[in-house]
Amino acid sequence: MSPQPEEPRPATIYDVARIVGVSASTVSRAFARPGRVSFATAERIRKVADEIGYQSVSVRRPMAQGRSRRGTIALVVADISNPVYFEMIRGAEEEAALNGYTMLLAHTRESGVIEREAIERSMDIVDGIVLSSSRMSDAAIRAMAKQKPTVVMNRGVKGVASVITDNVRGVRRAIEHFKELGHQEISYLAGPEASWADSMRWGAVKQAGLELDVRITKVESAAPTMDGGARAADKVATGKATAVLAYNDQLALGLMRRLQANGFGIPEDFSIIGFDNSSGASLIVPGLSSVAAPLHALGATAVRSLLAISRGAVSTHEQAVVLPTRLVLRGSTARPRG
């Protein structure tokens, strides 16, 4: 009787480690605590494991039928109470669900410290991270992107995939509209000091002022909220500007309400334009003119980019994906008195 052929030996963690050229403990971490291993190394480990048939004892997420591997994506937002994030979140969540992923939402309250802590806590349990209006430094974001696939919304970070709106064109159109109406003194109601978008918008306001020959002043705000806009009303009322472009709709709405409560007419005394065209812009009287950003598309595009990166798409990250803006006119702008 001929001997029975021996069954092939199952692949082990040591086989994976030998082929990849790392220690067995690194292979173990790649499956159990992926945030502790660089993205490139973890991907090589997973690829080799699949090729030789190694099955980790760690829980491995099942494959979605007809879709990519199921997993979790973290979406980190600066202020969940700001309506501008609602459509971004919807766009991101719907795109994630379409691809078989669950969305984990983190609220950082405009704090870079809280943002970093939230990311560190979730690093080991998510497959990728989308940062919206991040308050962390560029260096911190780049370091994080080396550990997990990362996409940044509303901010350009060199070396990291980014999705932004056309701030420069949006600001230019708003200042052009004020100029066409006859306004010669325009204020910019600023956003958070740490905001990349605020820096871009203020730079675009100054450039447009020079090119269109209108005088520009900057009014600081305490916070990018309706309360922040209300608290800036006295500065606006005592200044020379007859038109105001606000960093976002929340500031513009708060400014409008306080000026009206103090007896000023909108747009008779002050013309006001916000930014983002969020849901509240059309719910007040007069309606708030606003630079519209494609918020739903912003969230969806960020998730699509993230999934492409996680699947091995090659990107230089040198050019951010720029989505168009448009000026939506309502009743908050008019020619200045006199």
Side-chain angles (χ1 to χ4, degrees):
M1 182 176 180
S2 60
Q4 293 293 324
E6 294 184 6
E7 295 206 5
R9 176 178 63 84
T12 70
I13 193 172
Y14 301 100
D15 296 323
V16 178
R18 175 176 51 79
I19 296 171
V20 178
V22 296
S23 67
S25 61
T26 299
V27 176
S28 177
R29 283 196 301 273
F31 289 116
R33 300 178 67 82
R36 303 294 177 87
V37 180
S38 74
F39 174 67
T41 299
E43 286 300 295
R44 290 203 308 274
I45 288 171
R46 293 190 188 99
K47 182 178 180 181
V48 168
D50 288 341
E51 289 173 351
I52 68 175
Y54 170 70
Q55 293 293 321
S56 168
V57 296
S58 302
V59 177
R60 301 182 76 176
R61 297 179 178 90
M63 293 291 290
Q65 186 66 31
R67 296 179 183 174
S68 61
R69 178 175 63 82
R70 287 192 184 277
T72 304
I73 296 170
L75 174 60
V76 183
V77 299
D79 180 7
I80 200 170
S81 66
N82 188 336
V84 72
Y85 290 109
F86 295 168
E87 282 300 308
M88 287 186 203
I89 294 170
R90 282 187 56 197
E93 192 279 329
E94 289 172 8
E95 187 66 25
L98 187 64
N99 286 274
Y101 282 76
T102 298
M103 182 70 70
L104 173 68
L105 184 64
H107 172 215
T108 66
R109 291 170 280 171
E110 296 281 355
S111 168
V113 174
I114 295 175
E115 181 177 3
R116 184 189 292 268
E117 291 174 349
I119 292 168
E120 288 176 351
R121 286 194 300 270
S122 62
M123 185 72 79
D124 290 346
I125 62 173
V126 300
D127 299 281
I129 300 170
V130 176
L131 299 175
S132 179
S133 303
S134 176
R135 302 302 184 234
M136 295 194 303
S137 68
D138 284 6
I141 294 173
R142 280 192 289 267
M144 185 190 72
K146 292 179 181 178
Q147 299 180 60
K148 284 285 179 179
T150 300
V151 172
V152 184
M153 284 195 295
N154 294 327
R155 177 172 171 178
V157 178
K158 187 175 181 180
V160 181
S162 304
V163 182
I164 62 175
T165 56
D166 193 344
N167 289 283
V168 174
R169 178 56 188 159
V171 166
R172 173 75 183 210
R173 186 66 193 95
I175 301 301
E176 285 176 344
H177 178 63
F178 285 146
K179 172 76 173 182
E180 290 163 0
L181 290 173
H183 295 277
Q184 291 296 320
E185 299 269 0
I186 300 169
S187 284
Y188 173 67
L189 182 53
E193 185 177 350
S195 166
W196 178 88
D198 178 70
S199 176
M200 291 292 293
R201 291 170 193 176
W202 171 233
V205 168
K206 290 188 292 183
Q207 184 64 31
L210 287 173
E211 294 176 357
L212 298 173
D213 192 27
V214 294
R215 289 177 289 278
I216 301 293
T217 56
K218 185 178 185 180
V219 177
E220 301 288 351
S221 64
T225 61
M226 290 184 65
D227 181 64
R231 292 166 66 180
D234 287 344
K235 296 177 185 177
V236 171
T238 56
K240 295 181 178 180
T242 56
V244 180
L245 172 62
Y247 161 77
N248 66 8
D249 287 348
Q250 294 294 95
L251 281 169
L253 292 169
L255 174 66
M256 284 178 61
R257 291 178 61 179
R258 180 60 60 86
L259 287 173
Q260 288 172 320
N262 291 342
F264 293 100
I266 308 295
E268 296 81 8
D269 296 306
F270 295 98
S271 286
I272 299 175
I273 296 177
F275 212 105
D276 295 323
N277 195 39
S278 54
S279 56
S282 61
L283 301 179
I284 62 169
V285 179
L288 174 65
S289 296
S290 184
V291 178
L295 304 177
H296 189 281
L298 193 67
T301 302
V303 169
R304 278 197 296 271
S305 298
L306 182 70
L307 296 180
I309 293 169
S310 69
R311 293 165 183 162
V314 177
S315 174
T316 62
H317 305 322
E318 291 300 320
Q319 295 291 331
V321 176
V322 182
L323 301 183
T325 54
R326 60 189 176 89
L327 180 60
V328 177
L329 295 177
R330 297 188 177 93
S332 64
T333 59
R335 298 188 64 83
R337 287 186 184 274

